[in-house]
Coordinates of all heavy atoms in Angstrom, one line a residue:
F1 N -31.7 39.7 -30.1 CA -30.4 40.1 -30.6 C -30.3 39.6 -32.1 O -30.5 38.4 -32.3 CB -29.3 39.6 -29.8 CG -29.3 40.1 -28.4 CD1 -29.9 39.4 -27.4 CD2 -28.7 41.3 -28.0 CE1 -29.9 39.8 -26.1 CE2 -28.7 41.8 -26.7 CZ -29.3 41.0 -25.7
I2 N -30.0 40.5 -33.0 CA -29.9 40.3 -34.4 C -28.5 40.4 -34.9 O -27.8 41.4 -34.7 CB -30.8 41.2 -35.2 CG1 -32.3 41.2 -34.6 CG2 -30.8 41.0 -36.7 CD1 -33.1 42.3 -35.0
P3 N -28.0 39.3 -35.5 CA -26.6 39.3 -36.0 C -26.4 40.3 -37.1 O -27.0 40.2 -38.2 CB -26.3 37.9 -36.5 CG -27.7 37.4 -36.8 CD -28.6 38.0 -35.9
Q4 N -25.5 41.3 -36.9 CA -25.3 42.4 -37.9 C -24.4 41.9 -39.0 O -24.3 42.6 -40.0 CB -24.8 43.7 -37.2 CG -25.9 44.4 -36.4 CD -25.6 45.8 -36.0 OE1 -26.3 46.4 -35.3 NE2 -24.5 46.4 -36.5
W5 N -23.7 40.8 -38.8 CA -22.7 40.4 -39.8 C -23.5 39.6 -40.9 O -22.9 39.4 -42.0 CB -21.6 39.5 -39.2 CG -22.1 38.2 -38.6 CD1 -22.2 37.0 -39.2 CD2 -22.5 38.0 -37.2 NE1 -22.6 36.1 -38.3 CE2 -22.9 36.7 -37.1 CE3 -22.7 38.9 -36.1 CZ2 -23.3 36.2 -35.9 CZ3 -23.1 38.4 -35.0 CH2 -23.4 37.0 -34.8
V6 N -24.7 39.3 -40.7 CA -25.5 38.7 -41.8 C -26.1 39.9 -42.6 O -27.0 40.6 -42.2 CB -26.7 37.9 -41.2 CG1 -27.5 37.3 -42.4 CG2 -26.1 36.8 -40.4
T7 N -25.5 40.2 -43.8 CA -25.8 41.3 -44.6 C -26.6 41.0 -45.8 O -27.1 41.9 -46.5 CB -24.6 42.2 -44.9 OG1 -23.7 41.3 -45.6 CG2 -23.9 42.7 -43.7
E8 N -26.7 39.8 -46.2 CA -27.4 39.3 -47.4 C -28.6 38.5 -46.9 O -28.5 37.8 -45.9 CB -26.5 38.5 -48.3 CG -25.3 39.2 -48.8 CD -25.7 40.4 -49.7 OE1 -26.7 40.3 -50.5 OE2 -25.0 41.4 -49.7
P9 N -29.7 38.5 -47.7 CA -30.9 37.7 -47.3 C -30.5 36.2 -47.3 O -29.7 35.7 -48.1 CB -31.9 37.9 -48.4 CG -31.5 39.2 -49.0 CD -30.0 39.3 -48.8
I10 N -30.9 35.5 -46.3 CA -30.7 34.0 -46.2 C -32.0 33.3 -45.8 O -32.9 34.0 -45.4 CB -29.6 33.7 -45.1 CG1 -30.0 34.3 -43.7 CG2 -28.2 34.3 -45.5 CD1 -29.1 33.9 -42.6
D11 N -32.0 32.0 -46.1 CA -33.2 31.3 -45.9 C -33.6 31.1 -44.4 O -34.8 31.2 -44.1 CB -33.1 29.9 -46.5 CG -33.1 29.9 -48.0 OD1 -33.6 30.9 -48.6 OD2 -32.5 29.0 -48.6
E12 N -32.6 30.9 -43.6 CA -32.8 30.8 -42.2 C -32.0 31.7 -41.4 O -30.8 31.8 -41.6 CB -32.6 29.3 -41.7 CG -32.9 29.1 -40.3 CD -32.9 27.6 -39.9 OE1 -33.8 26.9 -40.4 OE2 -32.0 27.2 -39.2
L13 N -32.6 32.4 -40.5 CA -31.8 33.4 -39.6 C -31.8 32.9 -38.2 O -32.7 32.3 -37.7 CB -32.6 34.7 -39.7 CG -31.9 35.9 -39.0 CD1 -30.5 36.2 -39.6 CD2 -32.8 37.2 -39.1
E14 N -30.6 33.1 -37.6 CA -30.5 32.7 -36.2 C -30.4 34.0 -35.3 O -29.6 34.9 -35.6 CB -29.2 31.9 -35.9 CG -29.2 30.6 -36.5 CD -28.0 29.7 -36.2 OE1 -27.0 30.3 -35.6 OE2 -28.0 28.6 -36.6
L15 N -31.3 34.1 -34.4 CA -31.4 35.2 -33.5 C -31.1 34.7 -32.1 O -31.1 33.5 -31.8 CB -32.8 35.8 -33.5 CG -33.4 36.2 -34.8 CD1 -34.8 36.7 -34.6 CD2 -32.5 37.3 -35.5
L16 N -30.8 35.6 -31.1 CA -30.7 35.3 -29.7 C -31.8 36.0 -29.0 O -32.1 37.2 -29.3 CB -29.3 35.7 -29.2 CG -28.1 35.1 -29.8 CD1 -26.8 35.6 -29.2 CD2 -28.1 33.6 -29.6
V17 N -32.4 35.3 -28.1 CA -33.5 35.8 -27.3 C -33.2 35.8 -25.8 O -32.7 34.7 -25.4 CB -34.8 35.0 -27.6 CG1 -36.0 35.6 -26.8 CG2 -35.2 35.0 -29.1
G18 N -33.4 36.8 -25.1 CA -33.0 36.8 -23.7 C -33.3 38.0 -22.9 O -34.1 38.9 -23.3
V19 N -32.7 38.0 -21.7 CA -32.9 39.1 -20.7 C -31.6 39.6 -20.2 O -30.6 38.8 -20.1 CB -33.8 38.7 -19.6 CG1 -35.2 38.3 -20.1 CG2 -33.3 37.5 -18.8
K20 N -31.5 40.8 -19.7 CA -30.3 41.3 -19.0 C -30.3 40.6 -17.6 O -31.3 40.5 -17.0 CB -30.4 42.8 -18.8 CG -30.1 43.6 -20.0 CD -30.0 45.1 -19.6 CE -29.7 46.0 -20.7 NZ -29.6 47.4 -20.3
I21 N -29.1 40.3 -17.2 CA -28.9 39.7 -15.9 C -27.8 40.4 -15.1 O -27.0 41.1 -15.7 CB -28.6 38.2 -16.0 CG1 -27.3 37.9 -16.8 CG2 -29.7 37.4 -16.5 CD1 -26.8 36.5 -16.7
D22 N -27.9 40.3 -13.8 CA -26.9 41.0 -12.9 C -25.6 40.2 -12.8 O -24.5 40.7 -12.7 CB -27.5 41.2 -11.5 CG -28.6 42.2 -11.6 OD1 -28.5 43.2 -12.3 OD2 -29.6 42.1 -10.8
S23 N -25.7 38.9 -12.7 CA -24.6 38.0 -12.3 C -24.4 36.9 -13.3 O -25.3 36.4 -13.9 CB -24.9 37.4 -10.9 OG -23.9 36.5 -10.6
T24 N -23.2 36.5 -13.5 CA -22.8 35.4 -14.3 C -22.2 34.3 -13.5 O -21.5 33.4 -14.0 CB -21.9 35.8 -15.5 OG1 -20.7 36.3 -14.9 CG2 -22.5 36.7 -16.4
D25 N -22.5 34.3 -12.2 CA -22.0 33.3 -11.3 C -22.4 31.9 -11.7 O -21.7 30.9 -11.6 CB -22.4 33.5 -9.9 CG -21.8 34.7 -9.3 OD1 -20.8 35.2 -9.8 OD2 -22.3 35.2 -8.3
R26 N -23.6 31.8 -12.3 CA -24.1 30.5 -12.8 C -24.9 30.7 -14.0 O -25.6 31.7 -14.1 CB -24.9 29.8 -11.7 CG -26.0 30.5 -11.1 CD -26.6 29.8 -9.9 NE -27.9 30.3 -9.6 CZ -28.1 31.3 -8.8 NH1 -27.2 32.0 -8.2 NH2 -29.4 31.7 -8.6
T27 N -24.8 29.8 -14.9 CA -25.6 29.9 -16.2 C -26.7 28.9 -16.1 O -26.5 27.7 -16.0 CB -24.7 29.6 -17.4 OG1 -23.6 30.5 -17.4 CG2 -25.4 29.8 -18.7
P28 N -28.0 29.3 -16.3 CA -29.1 28.4 -16.2 C -28.9 27.3 -17.4 O -28.5 27.7 -18.5 CB -30.3 29.2 -16.5 CG -29.9 30.6 -16.0 CD -28.4 30.7 -16.3
A29 N -29.3 26.1 -17.1 CA -29.2 25.0 -18.1 C -29.9 25.4 -19.4 O -31.0 26.0 -19.4 CB -29.9 23.8 -17.5
G30 N -29.3 25.2 -20.5 CA -29.8 25.5 -21.8 C -29.7 26.9 -22.3 O -30.1 27.2 -23.4
L31 N -29.1 27.8 -21.5 CA -28.9 29.2 -21.9 C -27.4 29.5 -22.0 O -26.5 28.7 -21.5 CB -29.4 30.1 -20.8 CG -30.9 30.0 -20.5 CD1 -31.4 31.1 -19.6 CD2 -31.8 30.0 -21.8
Q32 N -27.1 30.5 -22.8 CA -25.7 31.0 -23.0 C -25.6 32.4 -22.3 O -26.6 33.1 -22.2 CB -25.4 31.2 -24.4 CG -25.6 30.0 -25.3 CD -25.5 30.5 -26.8 OE1 -26.5 30.5 -27.5 NE2 -24.3 30.8 -27.3
I33 N -24.4 32.8 -22.0 CA -24.2 34.1 -21.5 C -23.7 34.9 -22.7 O -22.7 34.5 -23.4 CB -23.2 34.1 -20.4 CG1 -23.7 33.4 -19.2 CG2 -22.8 35.6 -20.0 CD1 -25.0 33.9 -18.6
L34 N -24.3 36.1 -22.9 CA -23.9 37.0 -24.0 C -23.4 38.3 -23.3 O -24.1 38.9 -22.6 CB -25.0 37.3 -24.9 CG -24.7 38.4 -26.0 CD1 -23.7 37.8 -27.0 CD2 -26.0 38.8 -26.7
K35 N -22.1 38.6 -23.6 CA -21.5 39.8 -23.1 C -21.7 40.9 -24.2 O -21.1 40.7 -25.2 CB -20.1 39.7 -22.7 CG -19.9 38.6 -21.6 CD -19.5 39.2 -20.3 CE -19.2 38.2 -19.3 NZ -19.5 38.6 -18.0
V36 N -22.4 41.9 -23.9 CA -22.7 43.0 -24.9 C -21.8 44.1 -24.5 O -21.9 44.7 -23.4 CB -24.1 43.4 -24.9 CG1 -24.3 44.6 -25.9 CG2 -25.0 42.2 -25.2
P37 N -20.8 44.5 -25.3 CA -19.8 45.6 -24.9 C -20.5 46.9 -25.0 O -21.5 47.1 -25.7 CB -18.7 45.4 -25.9 CG -19.3 44.8 -27.1 CD -20.4 43.9 -26.6
A38 N -19.9 47.9 -24.4 CA -20.4 49.3 -24.5 C -20.1 49.7 -26.0 O -19.1 49.4 -26.5 CB -19.6 50.2 -23.6
R39 N -21.1 50.3 -26.6 CA -20.9 50.8 -28.0 C -22.0 51.7 -28.3 O -23.0 51.9 -27.6 CB -20.8 49.6 -29.0 CG -22.1 48.9 -29.3 CD -21.9 47.9 -30.5 NE -21.0 46.9 -30.3 CZ -19.8 46.7 -30.9 NH1 -19.5 47.6 -31.9 NH2 -19.0 45.7 -30.7
T40 N -21.9 52.4 -29.5 CA -22.9 53.3 -29.9 C -23.8 52.7 -30.9 O -23.4 51.9 -31.8 CB -22.2 54.5 -30.6 OG1 -21.3 55.1 -29.6 CG2 -23.2 55.6 -31.1
Y41 N -25.1 53.0 -30.7 CA -26.2 52.5 -31.5 C -27.0 53.6 -32.1 O -27.1 54.7 -31.4 CB -27.1 51.6 -30.7 CG -26.5 50.3 -30.2 CD1 -25.8 50.3 -29.0 CD2 -26.7 49.1 -30.9 CE1 -25.3 49.1 -28.6 CE2 -26.2 47.9 -30.5 CZ -25.5 47.9 -29.3 OH -24.9 46.8 -28.9
V42 N -27.6 53.4 -33.2 CA -28.6 54.3 -33.7 C -29.9 53.6 -33.3 O -30.1 52.4 -33.5 CB -28.6 54.4 -35.3 CG1 -29.8 55.2 -35.7 CG2 -27.3 55.0 -35.7
S43 N -30.8 54.4 -32.7 CA -32.0 53.8 -32.2 C -33.2 54.5 -32.8 O -33.3 55.7 -32.9 CB -32.1 53.9 -30.7 OG -33.3 53.4 -30.1
V44 N -34.2 53.7 -33.2 CA -35.5 54.2 -33.7 C -36.6 53.5 -33.0 O -36.6 52.2 -33.0 CB -35.6 54.1 -35.3 CG1 -37.0 54.4 -35.8 CG2 -34.6 55.0 -35.9
P45 N -37.6 54.2 -32.5 CA -38.8 53.5 -31.9 C -39.5 52.7 -33.0 O -39.7 53.2 -34.1 CB -39.6 54.6 -31.3 CG -38.8 55.8 -31.4 CD -37.7 55.6 -32.4
A46 N -39.9 51.5 -32.7 CA -40.7 50.7 -33.7 C -42.1 50.4 -33.0 O -42.2 49.5 -32.2 CB -40.0 49.4 -34.1
R47 N -43.0 51.2 -33.3 CA -44.3 51.1 -32.6 C -45.4 51.1 -33.7 O -45.4 51.9 -34.6 CB -44.6 52.2 -31.6 CG -43.6 52.2 -30.5 CD -43.9 53.3 -29.5 NE -43.0 53.2 -28.4 CZ -42.0 54.1 -28.3 NH1 -41.8 55.0 -29.1 NH2 -41.1 54.0 -27.3
G48 N -46.3 50.1 -33.6 CA -47.4 50.1 -34.5 C -47.6 48.7 -35.2 O -47.1 47.7 -34.6

C-alpha cells in the first residue's frame, strides 16, 4: 500500500505491506488492521 498523499519526492517513504483477511476479531502481534474502503481505482498491469 502506497500513501497517495505523499506527492513530492522524499528521502524516506513509508509503505504498508500485508494481506487481505476475513476477520478482525483479533490482530496478530506487531500488525495493524487497515480498512480499505470501496472506491474507484485506475489499474495498469506492471509486468516485466
Side-chain angles (χ1 to χ4, degrees):
F1 297 93
I2 303 163
Q4 288 194 189
W5 63 93
V6 177
T7 58
E8 299 295 325
I10 56 175
D11 291 334
E12 185 170 289
L13 185 60
E14 290 184 355
L15 308 175
L16 297 177
V17 179
V19 296
K20 281 186 179 182
I21 58 172
D22 289 325
S23 168
T24 58
D25 292 343
R26 51 189 202 273
T27 304
L31 301 186
Q32 302 169 253
I33 297 301
L34 176 67
K35 299 253 186 211
V36 179
R39 73 171 61 247
T40 301
Y41 293 85
V42 176
S43 180
V44 169
R47 295 185 180 101

